[in-house]
Amino acid sequence: MRLIISEKDIAARRIAYILSEGKVKSSKLGKIPVYEFLKDNETWKVIGLRGHIINVDFPASFNQWNKISPIELIEINPCKKVSEKNIADALKTLAMQNPFLIVATDYDREGELIGVEIVNLIKEYNKNINQIKRAKFSAITTQEINEAFNKLVDIDYNLSNAGESRQVIDLIWGAVLTRFISLTTHRLGKDFLSIGRVQSPTLALLVNKEKEIKNFTPVPFWKIIATLKKEITFNAIHKKNQIWDEKEANDIYKKVEFCKEAKINKIDKKILKEMPPTPFNTTSFLESASYLGFSAVNAMSIAEQLYIYGLTSYPRTDNTVYPPSLNLKGILQKLSNSEFSKEAKEVLSNGRPYPTRGKKQTTDHPPIHPVGVPNKINLNPNQQKIHELICRRFLATLAKDAISETMDVTFDISNEEFKASGYKLIQSNWKAIYPYFKEKRKSLPELVEGEIVEIVEINLNKDHTKPPQRYTQGSLIGKMEDLLLGTKSTRHEIIQKLFQRKYITFSPLAPTPTGIAVVEAMGDCDVVKPKMTATLEMDMDLISEGKKTLDDTVKESRQMLTNVMKTLQKDSEKIRTSINNAHREQNTVGKCPRCGKPLLIRTSKKKKRFVGCSGFPDCKNTYSLPQKGGIILTENVCSECNTPIVKIKPKGGRTWELCLNSNCTVKKPRKN
Ligand SMILES: [Zn+2]
Ligand SMILES: [Zn+2]
């Protein structure tokens, strides 16, 4: 019997369907589906896992936060426990049938580790199993799956060791630092604070950006803009563009203020070739999806669904270069029978000779690309949007350069030089296929040198320099990649964790007072700097290449953590005060109308949230809160009863204002 182990049930079902050419029987072993078929006179069975079914944790005796000091945990070896008993039981039954084992989990560090965990478990159940192989594929399509099973390879223990080192190091760092900070600030239970090896430097990026914005001093400047008219109106700007001196700006303006004519001195035309974007890897995919309004977590989970449906390739990849083995023409022919048929045919008959290529080239998976068309599958609107994005990106990478013309025009207005630039698309090519870039530059009318153009008006505008922009989820993921923070598989999850711990808000992406305080409390400690995390990330690459051992890497990281803890323990008093103050600020909804002390958001013994006066027990003033939806603090008080007002943001609904006083005459929630 051949036993195939897949990462998820839905992938197991599709693999079985493909290998059996549709002649598959499904049954259940306990509660777990198993797919069975005959192939070459042999019985094949396929079972799906739920990702990791083995959990790594400290032994139970070390789980009491108050009894074991965080620094003691550093040297404790974690142990492995089965976390999905039903699946383990099913595997045990199957192991007794002496199968030829084929690991068909996702092909990357995490997938290899999941596979090795199962191999070890099955060998525990049956020592006689010795035929073990690996199927390696980047897309769940008939061709890729058949090829992978015809060309089985060995398990790559270097790769799984790299995955395991990350698992162990993150467990130790997370547990030690999180316990330390939660104990120091007396925040235990549901409201614990966390610090993590990747999480904290990422949070620090957001905090530093927020500081730059807060410390930014706008500098005023002046611009002199002439509105000109020939068929259409367009703007020409004084050649100095930003004028920093007010008197100078006024002097120039006085000279041109009442002019009615501008003379064209010079026209410069250039033809531009604009290259299409490069193939999608995880980071650039998430950046583009973020531009379309998808959160990173959401975009990633949709891309995984499309992968399992056999529509797009494996979405976790750093690669931005199509490998020579990839049949680009075959994919284009498939797309010719889809909703992108027009674009695919255009690219087939009139595409670029070689696809574009990005800077990063790896050999594990190709860039994200379409592998099938949704014939019998009904995609929901979000899946459709992501599928379309991936298809259009693929088509664009194979389409011809766009051709455009830029025009720089110099005008003379009363001996002062003004400039206008225009942009005109001549051949859209890839830009018609990939319409996600909005062109901000405008076109100018036809102009000739020496021509006199009418001036509609001339204005002197005051403006000021702008603070740096906040990160979007997409640009934050890009920055994390530059700094080697996290991996393609974990970056979006890290951002989600920061949100869940209430360290950041999503729109805009900015740190909360607690988030700022946690980073500031860490001060100069290496744990908020990207360098140490990046070093570990590079070590993991070395492990996967067989150039370093798992044991050495874990040992070194324990040493690093010991040093970090020594610094933190010295500062624990300062950390306690600053975080607790910030936490209080974050939960203060305003002043108590009865006694003037701060009103705080609290959680009752029954886990219900409410607002209570910090003057308790002297002041027993409380207000109830809706139990669902986000709470946004305002500085406003009710005009009727002087009680603080909060905003409630229901998931997916519109934000509304609420006067905390339930007896207030302004009872109705006011929509805004
Ligand atoms: Zn009070
Ligand atoms: Zn009121």
Side-chain angles (χ1 to χ4, degrees):
M1 189 264 280
R2 289 191 171 219
L3 175 61
I4 302 174
I5 310 288
S6 162
E7 204 156 314
K8 289 186 182 125
D9 173 59
I10 177 165
R13 199 183 323 156
R14 277 196 45 88
I15 290 170
Y17 185 87
I18 290 170
L19 288 175
S20 67
E21 292 168 44
K23 293 180 203 96
V24 59
K25 266 194 334 217
S26 95
S27 59
K28 280 198 171 169
L29 210 51
K31 288 177 179 162
I32 306 304
V34 176
Y35 306 93
E36 190 179 331
F37 53 90
L38 268 176
K39 191 179 169 77
D40 308 327
N41 291 323
E42 197 174 2
T43 303
W44 293 56
K45 292 182 181 178
V46 192
I47 183 169
L49 308 172
R50 263 178 225 127
H52 289 280
I53 73 156
I54 311 277
N55 194 11
V56 177
D57 203 352
F58 289 109
S61 53
F62 292 92
N63 279 345
Q64 282 168 293
W65 288 29
N66 282 311
K67 291 201 174 140
I68 311 293
S69 88
I71 207 156
E72 274 178 71
L73 270 186
I74 298 179
E75 298 299 328
I76 306 297
N77 281 323
C79 57
K80 294 182 182 186
K81 260 189 302 203
V82 169
S83 57
E84 299 281 350
K85 196 170 173 300
N86 289 334
I87 296 179
D89 288 346
L91 287 171
K92 191 172 187 176
T93 310
L94 293 165
M96 295 310 156
Q97 302 165 16
N98 284 318
F100 179 144
L101 195 62
I102 302 170
V103 173
T105 48
D106 294 345
Y107 180 61
D108 56 21
R109 282 181 199 169
E110 219 55 42
E112 206 75 7
L113 177 58
I114 291 171
V116 168
E117 285 167 0
I118 299 308
V119 168
N120 292 340
L121 188 68
I122 284 189
K123 278 184 171 174
E124 259 176 51
Y125 294 144
N126 181 351
K127 283 191 200 73
N128 299 326
I129 291 175
N130 51 24
Q131 283 180 298
I132 300 165
K133 285 283 182 188
R134 172 74 158 121
K136 205 174 122 179
F137 47 88
S138 292
I140 308 184
T141 57
T142 308
Q143 194 190 348
E144 280 238 11
I145 293 293
N146 281 326
E147 272 174 21
F149 281 85
N150 285 333
K151 247 188 353 205
L152 294 172
V153 293
D154 288 325
I155 289 200
D156 183 348
Y157 283 91
N158 288 334
L159 199 59
S160 70
N161 278 340
E164 190 170 345
S165 71
R166 192 195 60 75
Q167 198 182 37
V168 173
I169 291 170
D170 281 354
L171 172 73
I172 300 177
W173 280 68
V176 170
L177 293 169
T178 297
R179 280 191 201 189
F180 165 75
I181 193 111
S182 299
L183 288 168
T184 304
T185 54
H186 304 299
R187 300 262 313 258
L188 301 171
K190 192 172 139 263
D191 277 337
F192 71 95
L193 293 172
S194 68
I195 306 185
R197 193 178 59 79
V198 186
Q199 194 193 100
S200 297
T202 305
L203 178 58
L205 287 177
L206 291 163
V207 170
N208 292 338
K209 179 71 91 184
E210 208 60 22
K211 274 191 202 153
E212 272 179 54
I213 294 172
K214 218 176 139 195
N215 295 335
F216 180 82
T217 327
V219 181
F221 63 83
W222 288 262
K223 263 188 182 181
I224 303 173
I225 301 173
T227 308
L228 307 177
K229 189 176 176 189
K230 184 190 175 186
E231 293 144 21
I232 55 165
T233 57
F234 57 97
N235 286 342
I237 298 168
H238 188 272
K239 71 167 179 195
K240 289 208 156 158
N241 194 17
Q242 293 169 323
I243 305 172
W244 303 99
D245 180 57
E246 186 172 12
K247 184 176 174 300
E248 186 190 0
N250 272 319
D251 289 347
I252 300 172
Y253 182 61
K254 272 184 202 135
K255 251 176 99 179
V256 297
E257 193 177 357
F258 300 109
C259 291
K260 288 290 156 222
E261 286 178 344
K263 184 175 170 225
I264 297 176
N265 274 347
K266 202 166 157 240
I267 294 177
D268 240 345
K269 281 188 184 177
K270 279 196 197 97
I271 296 292
L272 280 188
K273 279 186 177 178
E274 297 178 74
M275 277 252 284
T278 53
F280 264 156
N281 65 2
T282 306
T283 304
S284 55
F285 161 67
L286 291 180
E287 278 172 328
S288 301
S290 143
Y291 190 72
L292 297 186
F294 287 89
S295 74
V297 165
N298 199 5
M300 205 59 206
S301 104
I302 295 172
E304 269 162 26
Q305 292 155 15
L306 296 174
Y307 160 71
I308 290 172
Y309 290 159
L311 294 178
T312 53
S313 64
Y314 192 56
R316 299 175 201 280
T317 173
D318 287 323
N319 196 359
T320 54
V321 179
Y322 297 127
S325 58
L326 191 64
N327 182 358
L328 299 171
K329 209 169 173 187
I331 299 168
L332 286 173
Q333 276 153 354
K334 266 190 199 164
L335 290 177
S336 303
N337 295 312
S338 75
E339 56 178 315
F340 308 109
S341 113
K342 190 175 126 251
E343 291 85 351
K345 283 176 184 156
E346 159 80 22
V347 170
L348 268 172
S349 63
N350 187 30
R352 60 191 308 113
Y354 299 100
T356 58
R357 47 190 292 144
K359 286 190 190 115
K360 286 204 174 178
Q361 187 166 17
T362 60
T363 50
D364 48 355
H365 292 281
I368 306 171
H369 65 275
V371 295
V373 290
N375 277 337
K376 292 174 201 150
I377 309 162
N378 280 325
L379 298 181
N380 68 36
N382 280 340
Q383 291 171 332
Q384 255 167 33
K385 272 188 211 159
I386 293 291
H387 181 250
E388 176 169 358
L389 173 69
I390 294 172
C391 288
R392 288 193 177 278
R393 178 69 161 224
F394 172 77
L395 289 162
T397 61
L398 294 159
K400 278 193 167 164
D401 289 351
I403 310 284
S404 55
E405 183 192 78
T406 60
M407 182 153 102
D408 289 313
V409 188
T410 314
F411 296 88
D412 178 289
I413 303 176
S414 184
N415 289 325
E416 289 293 333
E417 206 172 287
F418 281 68
K419 290 184 173 205
S421 343
Y423 171 91
K424 198 162 71 185
L425 195 57
I426 298 171
Q427 281 174 39
S428 50
N429 295 331
W430 71 267
K431 285 195 170 182
I433 293 172
Y434 195 74
Y436 303 104
F437 289 118
K438 290 253 157 56
E439 184 54 63
K440 283 181 193 142
R441 293 169 291 182
K442 289 186 178 142
S443 64
L444 293 178
E446 278 306 316
L447 298 167
V448 283
E449 286 180 3
E451 189 178 355
I452 305 284
V453 181
E454 177 196 343
I455 298 176
V456 182
E457 57 179 6
I458 299 191
N459 290 305
L460 175 63
N461 294 350
K462 186 180 176 181
D463 204 344
H464 46 78
T465 52
K466 306 279 186 300
Q469 285 196 326
R470 288 205 172 92
Y471 288 108
T472 61
Q473 284 201 53
S475 64
L476 182 61
I477 284 176
K479 184 76 181 174
M480 291 169 79
E481 181 178 310
D482 289 346
L483 296 172
L484 300 180
L485 286 176
T487 67
K488 59 197 180 225
S489 318
T490 58
R491 288 184 192 113
H492 59 285
E493 289 165 1
I494 297 287
I495 298 178
Q496 189 71 13
K497 256 187 211 149
L498 290 174
F499 179 67
Q500 283 163 351
R501 292 260 65 85
K502 301 201 175 107
Y503 286 163
I504 61 170
T505 55
F506 263 153
S507 55
L509 201 57
T512 59
T514 308
I516 295 171
V518 167
V519 169
E520 283 181 346
M522 299 294 115
D524 249 356
C525 173
D526 284 336
V527 76
V528 290
K529 291 184 193 151
K531 190 168 164 270
M532 188 167 50
T533 285
T535 308
L536 282 174
E537 220 62 70
M538 283 186 280
D539 282 346
M540 289 175 219
D541 284 342
L542 291 177
I543 298 175
S544 66
E545 291 159 17
K547 292 173 185 159
K548 198 162 181 180
T549 67
L550 168 66
D551 287 348
D552 283 349
T553 308
V554 172
K555 202 173 145 199
E556 284 170 26
S557 93
R558 283 186 157 128
Q559 190 53 50
M560 277 191 214
L561 182 55
T562 306
N563 294 339
V564 164
M565 280 301 293
K566 281 181 185 156
T567 325
L568 289 179
Q569 278 180 328
K570 261 191 279 166
D571 287 340
S572 59
E573 196 49 47
K574 196 185 91 196
I575 294 173
R576 179 191 348 265
T577 335
S578 62
I579 293 181
N580 286 346
N581 287 346
H583 183 66
R584 178 169 270 237
E585 183 194 329
Q586 192 167 326
N587 286 291
T588 301
V589 298
K591 270 189 195 158
C592 174
R594 288 196 202 156
C595 74
K597 292 204 169 123
L599 290 171
L600 302 176
I601 299 175
R602 305 203 128 136
T603 311
S604 72
K605 284 192 184 117
K606 288 179 183 164
K607 307 252 184 247
K608 294 267 162 51
R609 62 187 185 189
F610 69 100
V611 170
C613 181
S614 59
F616 185 83
D618 296 337
C619 174
K620 295 191 171 57
N621 193 11
T622 61
Y623 302 100
S624 57
L625 280 173
Q627 293 305 311
K628 283 185 180 162
I631 297 173
I632 303 167
L633 305 184
T634 74
E635 308 220 315
N636 308 341
V637 290
C638 176
S639 55
E640 290 289 313
C641 69
N642 219 22
T643 308
I645 285 175
V646 293
K647 286 185 184 171
I648 307 294
K649 188 179 187 306
K651 202 180 172 196
R654 290 185 69 185
T655 306
W656 53 282
E657 281 193 357
L658 171 77
C659 169
L660 288 175
N661 176 5
S662 57
N663 299 320
C664 175
T665 44
V666 192
K667 249 188 193 166
K668 288 260 161 191
R670 278 167 295 169
K671 306 264 176 190
N672 62 346

